[in-house]
Amino acid sequence: IPPPAKKPLTKIVSHLLVVEPEKIYAMPDPTMPDGDIKALTTLCDLADRELVVIIGWAKHIPGFSTLSLADQMSLLQSAWMEILVLSIVFRSLPCEDEIVYAEDYVIDEEQARISGLLDLHVAILPLVRRYKKLRMEKEEFVTLKAIALANSDSMHIENIEAVQRLQDSLHEALQDFEGSQHPEDPRRAGKLLMTLPLLRQTATKAVQHFYSIKMQGKVPMHKLFLEMLEAK
Amino acid sequence: KEKHKILHQLLQNSTSPVDL
């Protein structure tokens, strides 16, 4: 007997799956000597390119582009690191205690120690464990990523009602998805939303980590990454 | 806004992430 066909996904979740950006690669510079400067240079360069992609992706979230430009900027300035961290965490789910910064940049604890990335590694792993336990699916990941953006608690929002409408539509999409795909667990949407505080904590630690690296001035950083770091 | 020039430009630019 074939398994029962899965119910169709909600429009928003299907749309978010379609607009999910392509993988990007870290491409560490082979001419640089191995060590913490190389590792951090690779990550900062990767983050800068990911940011360009995240800004383009945000414009495809239904309702985001109708916000004022100022509100779009405020949401992205607050949430960009949460979006970056959530993407890294989702990529790392199939691994055991390794962080997949990119397909070609998978770091285990020992490599993290050598490369000066141990603090970041230790900060991200609890989030990976949390989503592993929940067995987070791709549909849930893309929806939660959009929710993290809409729910970024920026202090500078002009049109609070419009941002609230965006939050409501994404929240509803998550609830509808869980209602149709996971009727056996009526609290699944809530469980996913309850991971957002740990995501914010982790992103805050990551921002602090990169901000202190910026202050030390030893690692080259591209302009967009610097601009977003300074906005925090 | 002047301080956040690149973000501002990228949001105004109509290029989709799929093209990037």
Side-chain angles (χ1 to χ4, degrees), chain A residues 10 12-13 16 143 168-178:
Chain A
T10 69
I12 292 184
V13 174
L16 290 174
T143 312
D168 289 347
S169 74
L170 294 165
H171 182 191
E172 193 181 12
L174 181 66
Q175 280 191 314
D176 288 352
F177 174 80
E178 300 305 350

Side-chain angles (χ1 to χ4, degrees), chain A residues 11-21 57 60-62 139 142-144 146 170 173:
Chain A
K11 253 189 182 171
I12 292 184
V13 174
S14 329
H15 180 78
L16 290 174
L17 282 176
V18 171
V19 300
E20 182 57 14
W57 160 81
H60 289 273
I61 298 172
E139 291 84 351
V142 296
T143 312
L144 209 56
L170 294 165

